[in-house]
């Protein structure tokens, strides 16, 4: 069947299992082909083709609600709901979103991107259904990785308590991005090999049949023995003890097995969890055999060879992070690295190769990672928590309550700070300055390039005066030379990289090249602008700020961060508190809305965070008479 003809999932209703398997093959071929050009989350989606087909065959979306946890595995759902024709624009500017998007389709009832939210969302929808007296089915689909997220466990606890009708699909492929970790993962492993319980149960039943019955006594004893056997052999009892009916393990690529169990669940009262065992990357050998997590989410690749198309260029910030951390760790055995399930993306997988005993992947557990780091620091270790800006949002109270308030020496390596591009709204790292700079005791730094980054990281690890964060962007550096020796940078001291008498641009991180380019544009108009690398966001360089105000130069602050409460706000607050009201401060940054997916240059262009935009803004601050015609 032509995938592009799939407009409404109702077409699945009358298909036989054979026809369904043909549709599955067509969808797999489509995904492998399309994503070889656009990139995307190929592995997760190849793993849920049969599952998504059966779900849409047996349930009636959009009346019945599918909540895809994380949502990176919703491409099959998007194909079945009429969006196959948009896959050439996947994760591109104004194109198809890589995650469920309510504005895209009535079949997308719940938006995700951050992990472990589906069960809570589903519980809310279940309560709403029961309070309204409607009868739709609520079906969260959560992966084994997402299940390690704390809020998923909070939700399981409540769902089990409420005993309302809901079918949870646990998509267990033994992988998070990298191989999954944790005791839950091990427990699921025991469940995956549960058929030994079924064998033992059959043997027991055979035995009972051979012994002449002593009435119900033997039968009821046998039942108790069977139950305790189940308890002993099948840790699926974990879910049963929480109040769920556990079904599984179910082969997630066997249409018949899937249909039988999901049909049974549809008819069963109360909370059900169906443990579906799938293979990430199923149907495409390079992805199927991926033990590291390369095929979880990736750029374009060559279908025949499975070769990922590599863009040449300077080292990535994550790569510099890993190398620098290894250098520091060789002479500082206090250093311990922590990641919440992002070993590959953060670069800590490379650190772990040299220091396996000093790197901890705690699963998708940002709250735990943050407070565990506090515990490490409380005992004199030097924890470096590598965490994406957007995911640290999940550990905010732990940042406040456990790290900053106790003034513990935790280093936050805040990766993916700034716009991240293709992952869009849920992943843009544009709020961390706002949610960190108001916290007493925190120090917040941002490097202008990868060379300053290595020094900044070294400075942060040697900082013994409380928590310190270094925020840095996704992707490559500027290709600047790297110093051989690491050195400490002065915290609270900015760097003037260009002099100018007419105005000053305060920028940091990725906005430094933009500021310098703007200064060049302005120089062509006879406007001399000082460019300052405001690399210490907290504390500010108050000496420099008062020096600028004495010069009377207007200021433009430039940040790839939310304007609300960002760096520019900090500068305004400083001048206000210092009683300096005469100075002109203009701010440029991320406007007060969520920035969708697209390439970072396109997104910056769209919001005017460009050299020409900055130059235009500064020009308006300069009296006409000072400007060359
Ligand atoms: C709060 C949060 N932390 C980390 C991530 C990054 N992340 C995206 S998918 C993923 C792994 C999900 O594993 P699983 O739920 O098993 O889904 P699978 O990819 O195996 O289908 C992670 C860690 C995220 N999206 N949200
Ligand atoms: C879906 C998800 O949250 C991750 O897969 C994320 O897309 C990884 O981002 P990076 O590609 O920046 O590591
Ligand atoms: Mg998984």
């Amino acid at each position: 069947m032509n995938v592009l003809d799939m407009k409404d999932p109702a077409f699945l209703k009358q298909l036989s299992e054979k026809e369904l398997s043909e549709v599955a093959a067509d969808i797999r071929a489509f995904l492998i082909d399309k994503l070889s050009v656009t990139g995307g989350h190929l592995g997760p989606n190849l793993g849920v083709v049969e599952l998504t087909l059966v779900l849409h065959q047996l349930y009636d979306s959009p009346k019945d609600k599918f909540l895809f946890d994380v949502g990176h595995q919703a491409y099959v759902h998007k194909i079945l709901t009429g969006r196959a024709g948009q896959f050439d624009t996947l994760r591109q500017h104004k194109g198809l979103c890589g995650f469920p998007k309510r504005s895209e389709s009535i079949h997308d009832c719940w938006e995700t991107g951050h992990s472990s939210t589906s069960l809570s969302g589903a519980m809310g929808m279940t309560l709403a259904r029961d309070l309204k007296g409607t009868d739709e089915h609520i079906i969260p689909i959560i992966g084994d990785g997402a299940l390690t997220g704390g809020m998923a466990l909070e939700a399981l606890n409540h769902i089990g308590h409420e005993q309302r009708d809901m079918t949870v699909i646990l998509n267990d492929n033994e992988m998070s991005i990298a191989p999954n970790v944790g005791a839950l993962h091990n427990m699921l492993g025991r469940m995956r090999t549960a058929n030994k319980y079924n064998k033992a149960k059959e043997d027991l039943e055979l035995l009972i049949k051979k012994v002449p019955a002593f009435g119900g006594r033997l039968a009821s004893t046998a039942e108790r023995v069977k139950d305790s056997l189940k308890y002993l052999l099948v840790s699926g009892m974990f879910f049963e003890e929480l109040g769920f009916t556990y079904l599984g393990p179910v082969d997630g690529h066997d249409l018949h097995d899937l249909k039988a169990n999901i049909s049974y669940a549809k008819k069963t009262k109360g909370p059900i969890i169906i443990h579906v065992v799938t293979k990430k990357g199923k149907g495409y050998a390079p992805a199927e055999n991926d033990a590291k997590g390369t095929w979880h989410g990736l750029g374009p690749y060559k279908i025949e060879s499975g070769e990922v198309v590599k863009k040449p260029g300077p080292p990535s910030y994550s790569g510099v992070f890993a190398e620098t951390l290894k250098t520091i760790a060789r002479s500082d055995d206090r250093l311990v690295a922590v990641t919440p399930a992002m070993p590959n993306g953060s670069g800590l997988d490379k650190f772990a190769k040299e220091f396996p005993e000093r790197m901890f992947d705690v699963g998708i557990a940002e709250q735990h990672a943050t407070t565990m780091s506090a515990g490490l620091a409380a005992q004199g270790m030097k924890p470096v928590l590598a965490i994406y800006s957007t995911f640290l949002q999940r550990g905010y109270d732990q940042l406040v309550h456990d790290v900053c308030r106790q003034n513990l020496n935790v280093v936050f390596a805040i990766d993916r700070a700034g716009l991240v591009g293709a992952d869009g709204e849920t992943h843009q790292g544009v709020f961390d300055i706002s949610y960190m700079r108001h916290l007493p005791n925190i120090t917040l730094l941002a490097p202008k390039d990868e060379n300053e980054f290595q020094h900044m990281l070294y400075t942060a690890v040697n900082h013994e005066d409380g928590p310190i964060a270094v925020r840095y962007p996704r992707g490559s550096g500027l290709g600047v030379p790297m110093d051989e020796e690491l050195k400490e940078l002065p915290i609270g001291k900015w760097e003037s990289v260009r002099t100018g008498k007419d105005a000053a641009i305060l920028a940091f991180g990725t906005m430094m090249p933009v500021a310098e380019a703007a200064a060049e544009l302005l120089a062509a108009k006879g406007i001399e602008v000082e460019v300052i690398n405001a690399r210490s966001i907290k504390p500010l360089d108050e000496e420099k700020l008062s020096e600028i105000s004495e010069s009377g130069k207007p200021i433009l602050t430039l940040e790839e961060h939310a304007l609300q409460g960002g760096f520019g706000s900090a500068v305004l607050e400083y001048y206000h508190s210092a009683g300096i009201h005469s100075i002109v401060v203009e701010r440029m940054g991320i406007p007060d809305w969520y920035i969708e997916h697209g390439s970072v240059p396109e997104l910056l262009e769209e919001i005017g965070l460009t050299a020409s935009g900055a130059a235009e803004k500064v020009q308006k601050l300069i009296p006409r008479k000072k400007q060359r015609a």
Side-chain angles (χ1 to χ4, degrees), residues 41 43-45 47-48 69-73 99 112-117 141-149 151 170-178 180 278 280 296 340-343 363-366 387-388 390-392 394 423 426-427:
H41 288 94
N45 284 282
V48 296
D69 205 291
V70 182
H72 61 311
Q73 81 295 51
F99 301 97
T112 39
H114 279 196
S115 173
S116 319
T117 65
I141 298 108
I142 185 166
D144 56 308
L147 192 66
T148 62
M151 64 182 291
L170 171 57
N171 171 33
D172 178 10
N173 52 26
E174 301 184 64
M175 293 290 281
S176 186
I177 292 183
N180 200 3
T278 62
K280 204 162 185 176
H296 166 83
M342 306 301 282
I364 308 180
E366 288 81 5
I387 188 163
Y388 290 15
T390 191
F391 299 146
L392 179 54
R394 185 62 65 85
D423 276 334
T426 53
H427 285 60

Side-chain angles (χ1 to χ4, degrees), residues 314-315 317 448-451 476-481 509-510 512-513 516:
Y317 273 92
K448 66 182 177 186
D449 58 39
E450 61 274 33
N451 184 48
S476 302
L478 303 179
V480 299
T510 52
M512 279 303 288
E516 293 184 85

Side-chain angles (χ1 to χ4, degrees), residues 207-215 218:
L207 182 70
I208 292 164
K209 284 199 184 87
K210 281 189 190 128
V211 174
F214 303 127
L218 180 67

Side-chain angles (χ1 to χ4, degrees), residues 423-446:
D423 276 334
E425 287 175 33
T426 53
H427 285 60
Q428 310 293 11
V430 294
F431 304 117
D432 56 87
I433 296 174
S434 303
Y435 70 68
M436 291 186 104
R437 72 176 182 84
H438 58 271
L439 300 177
N441 301 330
I442 193 88
T443 297
L444 185 49
L445 310 174

